Amino acid sequence: MHPIDVFARHATDFRDHRLDAEVLHHAKRAVIDWHAALFPGLDVDPMPQLRRVLADDLDRGAARLPGGRAATWRAAALLNGTAAHAAEVDDSFRDAMYHPGAATIAAALATAQQQGADGLAFLRGVVAGYEVSTRIGVALGRAHYRYWHNTGTVGTFGAAAATAGLLGLHGAPFGHALATAATFAAGLQQAFRMDSMSKPLHAGRAAEAGVLAAQLAAEGVTGSRDVLDGDAGLGRAMGEGGDWSAVGDTLGREFHITRLTFKNHIGCGHTFAAIDAALELVRRHGLRPDDIRSVHVATYGPALDIACHQNPATENEARFSLRFVVATALVHGSVRLNAYTPERLADARTRAMIGRITAVVDPELDAAFPARRSARVEIETTAGQRHVWLQPDRKGDPELPLSDAELDGKFLELASPVLGDAGARTLLGRLWTLDDAAAGDLSRLF
């Protein structure tokens, strides 16, 4: 049986599967976190440009953008998916090296609005997208992640599965949606190794492509059932073949959506263990910036490959600079949205701290990736003392999860500048009760 067939069979079983309270709760957490990521990304490049390009698809259609503006089905998925990834605040599923929410929830929401679905159906679509796509990401493994941006590639399957579920597809048509999505999947890591606006588009394009693949399957368009595991399939073309042997073993029994990572800092998540470790040393030893002579970070390979900018000159580069964000944490005590303002980028104290930071790959920590995202930070003080802290997991990982209250705080911090405090709190209340939302209510979320 091909992996596509496994997922197609699961879709039939999932149609009648009653989601328990815990899974629904985690699905709502994912949707809340998606909205928290969406609002600060609305005006980050390339969002203004994308809205201009898609002008013909706006102010018409059943789907909605923040603020209530109408949009066509696929345009809403593309715009909201891009915005939800643009500010680098979105969720991740660690084992798949993948941000599932941006594309999956953008596609599910646009589809639910288009179809007039109720809140429970929307949440079921979200769960379907997460469960299928994360397993594909795990199967593709680290070899795929070497060159490909999983949020663009694997995200296409999340969007397709969510849309197909909301369209009522199961069995073979569901499989055909995934099969067509496979040949749409793209997104290169090189797109963000230099200063670039392309990265958020990976998530948006994945959302749009997944919607289109499911729409086509609903019209009878078929795809190759061996497109994942065939000799010229996605697994071999984009990696080392992938290990598909266990792809369906826990489907319907263990829900990956209950083991997400929600970001506790702003920026590239590969830097967060180092940030956490640096802040812990400051807390434990009462360190001030002027006390610090040198900082040495040891972590896993992708943290240095992706957060690679040594002396960032732009906001995009700073978000992908381990040295910048660790320096920001040590100088300013946190890494929030204001870390990337022009004033902060030029801050003399932060620039001086960057010059004191070195970073290397630790073989032991690298071997634990992607299951663990760890960093060891050593600070030498001007008085000659050495302090070391190993951060085995990041705050926000399943081992150190954000509480519901902390997630609420993140949402309010990021949504209030756009909606106002009262508007943000009203939306938050609606999101926590999504499973009670009636048909049509999702068009009035924003």
Side-chain angles (χ1 to χ4, degrees), residues 267-285:
C268 175
H270 289 307
T271 67
F272 287 6
I275 294 171
D276 289 338
L279 290 174
E280 183 64 19
L281 288 173
V282 168
R283 186 188 71 80
R284 284 175 171 262
H285 303 288

Side-chain angles (χ1 to χ4, degrees), residues 114-409:
Q114 179 73 29
Q115 299 297 110
D118 63 24
L120 185 59
F122 164 61
L123 291 170
R124 288 182 65 85
V126 169
V127 172
Y130 273 71
E131 299 310 311
V132 169
S133 62
T134 53
R135 284 169 170 81
I136 291 173
V138 169
L140 288 170
R142 190 167 175 175
H144 179 76
Y145 193 65
R146 182 178 179 187
Y147 299 114
W148 298 95
H149 183 209
N150 292 23
T151 300
T153 56
V154 180
T156 310
F157 297 103
T163 302
L166 279 157
L167 291 179
L169 303 184
H170 57 90
F174 186 94
H176 290 311
L178 296 182
T180 297
T183 205
F184 290 167
L188 293 166
Q189 285 204 19
Q190 198 63 45
F192 49 91
R193 298 289 178 91
M194 294 182 68
D195 188 39
S196 164
M197 300 178 191
S198 299
K199 184 174 184 281
L201 292 167
H202 293 175
R205 188 69 181 90
E208 180 194 28
V211 167
L212 177 59
Q215 289 174 317
L216 291 170
E219 292 295 327
V221 173
T222 62
S224 299
R225 290 169 37 246
D226 61 352
V227 72
L228 296 179
D229 57 325
D231 289 343
L234 184 144
R236 291 190 181 278
M238 293 184 170
E240 296 176 353
D243 180 4
W244 305 101
S245 61
V247 75
D249 284 0
T250 61
L251 268 171
R253 293 188 295 106
E254 296 179 10
F255 287 85
H256 287 178
I257 202 167
T258 66
R259 295 194 287 111
L260 299 176
T261 293
F262 295 129
K263 287 188 172 182
N264 192 46
H265 310 292
I266 310 296
C268 175
H270 289 307
T271 67
F272 287 6
I275 294 171
D276 289 338
L279 290 174
E280 183 64 19
L281 288 173
V282 168
R283 186 188 71 80
R284 284 175 171 262
H285 303 288
L287 300 176
R288 298 169 301 174
D290 290 343
D291 297 330
I292 297 172
R293 175 179 292 161
S294 66
V295 181
H296 185 67
V297 179
T299 188
Y300 55 95
L304 301 187
D305 292 340
I306 294 173
C308 57
H309 297 287
Q310 298 296 305
N311 193 31
T314 67
E315 177 180 344
N316 280 335
E317 289 182 350
R319 289 177 187 274
F320 292 90
S321 170
L322 183 143
R323 286 163 35 121
F324 176 83
V325 296
V326 171
T328 296
L330 290 170
V331 171
H332 298 285
S334 66
V335 185
R336 313 308 299 166
L337 285 174
N338 62 3
Y340 306 102
T341 63
E343 295 76 16
R344 283 287 189 88
L345 286 173
D347 182 72
R349 294 182 302 160
T350 302
R351 290 290 168 176
M353 187 66 73
I354 287 174
R356 302 174 208 163
I357 297 174
T358 57
V360 299
V361 174
D362 180 291
E364 183 178 352
L365 301 184
D366 187 60
F369 177 86
R372 304 297 288 269
R373 308 294 175 91
S374 308
R376 181 184 296 105
V377 173
E378 178 179 321
I379 293 178
E380 181 183 1
T381 71
T382 54
Q385 297 172 319
R386 291 181 181 272
H387 305 295
V388 181
W389 184 259
L390 171 64
Q391 185 72 28
D393 302 292
R394 304 164 296 183
K395 172 66 175 176
D397 277 339
E399 295 78 9
L400 298 170
L402 297 187
S403 67
D404 288 351
E406 288 172 324
L407 183 61
D408 287 351

